[in-house]
Amino acid sequence: MSFCFQIHKVKSGLRRINLGERCERWLLERRENMYKKKALYILLGLLVLILVGCGQPDQAEVPAEGSGEPAQSTEPTEPAAPTYVGSETCKTCHSDKYAGWQRTLHSKMIQDASGEGVVIGDFSNIPEEFADVADVMNPDDIVYTIGSKWKQRYLVEGEDGFHYILPLQWNTAKEQWQPYHKDDWSERPWEKKCAGCHATGLNVTDYSFVEPAIGCEACHGPGSEHAKTADPTKIVATVAVDVCASCHNRGVAPSGEGYPVGFQPGEELGEEHYTSVAVGDKHVWDNGWAKGHHQQYLDWLLSGHSTALESLMESGHVRDYCLNCHSADYRLAPEDAKPAPEELTESVNCNVCHVTHEPGFGEAQLRLPREEVCSTCHNAGGPVEAGQAVHHPQAEMLSGEGALEVASVPSLHQAAGITCVDCHMTKVAKSMNYWDISNHVFQPVLPGEALEGMPDTCTSCHKGSDPADRQAIIDSWQTTIENMLAELEPRLEAAKARVDAGGLAEDVVQLYNIAFTNVSFVKADASKGVHNFAYTKAVLEAAAEKLDAFEERVK
């Protein structure tokens, strides 16, 4: 029974129709309001579900049974890997570093050929001897240039979308054209041979890259997350040798590219990324030294610098002042944040001598002038004291000073302006001309030890002299010093035994102390007279005189 009919029963018949119409109208209005409220409740409920859902981890939709669609994983998705953003983005916050980097050779490795003054080769004067390739040497076709210091090469785009280096390269020192893979240049796509180290952010799936040149992210890794958050933990800042080694190297990736594939700064460079060339390759001397350019890492591995930290740790004499010259990560850390010895991983690597964010000193971007960069570590560490052993006094030996009670005798080489680099980094590798790249083994090439075709240290300066004659001079110096040391060392041992027995006057003990320290000075220099023969001989003669006096007093 309807509500309106109930009302009708308690009222007179006369009123029935009128009451019924009113009730029907009231009922219709009531139902309409109820529907509106239900609709509002439904909308509010849906809104709540949406809001709650947005705050929950993404859940995969469950496909309808029998739909044939595979169910998706309900696991949370991994955050997207950071991407390369280019050095211009870094400039926004690091304008000083960016400005310094722009003045380095890294920034000019690859340049847009349309820039004013970028192309330096004389394309109007292709020699007749290269007439067979003259038709492809069109400067209008050049997209990018490679290099500018020793040489400049030129990239053109092929029909396949890859870039190719033109068959002639410009020798900047001689200002002339020289061939470069003249017979097979069109079969060597730059993206597969070189791009991983010439450009930044190379994608080897399609060989596209983010930035021409060696940009910030080539050494710091992809920077998108750091750029968005300014979080210093979202970017790599390391002095690890692996970053330099990834390009100052020569070899092949497992997939065939001429550069490491899959390596990013912050990782350890391994065979899964790259296999370096070795003895037997045309770019390597038979003693393992680099014969070609950009192989500095391979040289460094053969040097004492590469094992400096390891040798110190094995010595059992680790001190803070030692670590400063035995470890890159210790030396370059802020003074208030020096790592503990057990935290160190880097020996004396590239970053100790070279800067990357500015031009530095000289053509090699050194941290210090070339005559100072070695002597900051290869020195006695302060005034020499009688009775103390001396460590690496090469700077003092070259200057002819520092030993006890010996008159100063400067080295003839130092007086002539010869530095450590001239002898210990003899140029035996080739970039454009024979020989224009210094070795990074940091050892002189003695005339009697130079391999066939290898320049030796002495005749590189003493032009026209006989290498055998030069070696004879060295042998004479070293034999003299070896003989003097052989005569002094047993006498020192006997004197030490007498001192240890006690009962000697202080001035007598001091005679022994001076002799001991002067002998230690010569032995620690380790050149056996080559650094400064006259001074070395004088130091040992002074030691002998002190021992003579000691022996006379203790008779």
Side-chain angles (χ1 to χ4, degrees), residues 249-252 271 274-295 297-299 301-302 451:
N249 202 336
R250 185 183 294 275
V252 63
E271 291 185 355
Y274 200 62
T275 299
S276 299
V277 295
V279 173
D281 186 274
K282 68 178 183 178
H283 296 99
V284 180
W285 292 102
D286 286 344
N287 62 357
W289 292 26
K291 198 174 187 178
H293 65 299
H294 63 71
Q295 295 172 212
Y297 172 68
L298 303 181
D299 271 356
L301 287 175
L302 301 175
L451 301 175

Side-chain angles (χ1 to χ4, degrees), residues 289 363 366 369-374 398 411-428 435 437-439 442-446 455-463 530-531:
W289 292 26
E363 63 182 23
L366 297 173
R370 107 196 264 263
E371 63 272 14
E372 297 177 20
V373 69
C374 305
L398 282 168
S411 163
L412 293 176
H413 281 146
Q414 188 178 65
I418 303 302
T419 68
C420 311
V421 170
D422 293 308
C423 296
H424 285 263
M425 298 186 70
T426 303
K427 295 181 177 182
V428 299
W435 301 96
I437 300 292
S438 298
N439 87 73
F442 308 107
Q443 289 292 331
V445 184
L446 297 180
D456 73 77
T457 298
C458 300
T459 58
S460 293
C461 285
H462 297 279
K463 305 291 186 184
V530 176
H531 286 155

Side-chain angles (χ1 to χ4, degrees), residues 388-399:
Q388 299 295 314
V390 183
H391 298 285
H392 40 71
Q394 289 83 7
E396 288 84 355
M397 183 64 83
L398 282 168
S399 299

Side-chain angles (χ1 to χ4, degrees), residues 68-386:
E69 296 180 11
Q72 298 179 12
S73 171
T74 59
E75 293 295 322
T77 57
E78 291 290 329
T83 57
Y84 291 89
V85 295
S87 298
E88 285 291 330
T89 300
C90 307
K91 175 185 176 181
T92 305
C93 294
H94 305 284
S95 58
D96 56 336
K97 296 289 191 295
Y98 179 89
W101 164 79
Q102 277 199 312
R103 300 185 346 254
T104 70
L105 292 177
H106 278 173
S107 71
K108 299 175 178 63
M109 175 54 70
I110 299 293
Q111 297 184 84
D112 186 334
S114 64
E116 185 177 354
V118 170
V119 176
I120 58 178
D122 184 3
F123 282 82
S124 66
N125 187 22
I126 304 296
E128 185 63 30
E129 62 182 304
F130 303 130
D132 56 332
V133 294
D135 59 328
V136 299
M137 298 298 295
N138 184 351
D140 294 334
D141 295 335
I142 299 171
V143 181
Y144 296 111
T145 62
I146 306 175
S148 58
K149 180 175 174 52
W150 287 276
K151 56 183 174 282
Q152 191 171 72
R153 294 170 180 167
Y154 304 96
L155 286 170
V156 295
E157 187 171 353
E159 293 180 357
D160 57 2
F162 287 109
H163 292 89
Y164 294 85
I165 301 174
L166 288 176
L168 299 182
Q169 57 186 336
W170 182 252
N171 184 325
T172 58
K174 296 182 178 180
E175 296 188 337
Q176 65 183 32
W177 291 105
Q178 291 179 203
Y180 180 74
H181 287 279
K182 191 165 72 72
D183 298 327
D184 65 345
W185 71 276
S186 61
E187 301 168 12
R188 295 169 51 84
W190 169 78
E191 280 84 352
K192 296 183 179 181
K193 294 288 184 180
C194 315
C197 285
H198 287 172
T200 302
L202 181 75
N203 183 340
V204 294
T205 59
D206 61 5
Y207 294 103
S208 61
F209 55 89
V210 173
E211 179 180 9
I214 302 165
C216 308
E217 293 162 296
C219 301
H220 291 283
S224 60
E225 291 302 307
H226 176 66
K228 282 193 290 188
T229 64
D231 183 348
T233 67
K234 300 294 185 181
I235 196 73
V236 175
T238 178
V239 297
V241 72
D242 303 80
V243 175
C244 307
S246 65
C247 286
H248 290 269
N249 202 336
R250 185 183 294 275
V252 63
S255 50
E257 287 84 358
Y259 46 82
V261 171
F263 171 80
Q264 285 192 354
E267 299 175 350
E268 185 175 341
L269 183 68
E271 291 185 355
E272 67 272 22
H273 306 119
Y274 200 62
T275 299
S276 299
V277 295
V279 173
D281 186 274
K282 68 178 183 178
H283 296 99
V284 180
W285 292 102
D286 286 344
N287 62 357
W289 292 26
K291 198 174 187 178
H293 65 299
H294 63 71
Q295 295 172 212
Q296 290 86 353
Y297 172 68
L298 303 181
D299 271 356
W300 175 82
L301 287 175
L302 301 175
S303 76
H305 285 170
S306 71
T307 57
L309 179 59
E310 179 184 359
S311 62
L312 177 65
M313 293 300 187
E314 290 176 350
S315 74
H317 298 289
V318 180
R319 303 289 186 275
D320 287 351
Y321 56 82
C322 301
L323 290 171
N324 208 43
C325 283
H326 281 259
S327 169
D329 35 352
Y330 187 89
R331 183 181 183 88
L332 300 175
E335 287 299 324
D336 60 350
K338 295 292 187 185
E342 61 272 15
E343 298 174 317
L344 300 173
T345 60
E346 295 300 314
S347 194
V348 180
N349 65 26
C350 321
N351 292 291
V352 171
C353 301
H354 299 276
V355 291
T356 53
H357 291 138
E358 55 187 273
F361 293 90
E363 63 182 23
Q365 294 183 203
L366 297 173
R367 289 187 179 273
L368 295 167
R370 107 196 264 263
E371 63 272 14
E372 297 177 20
V373 69
C374 305
S375 61
T376 58
C377 284
H378 292 273
N379 66 74
V384 171
E385 297 182 10

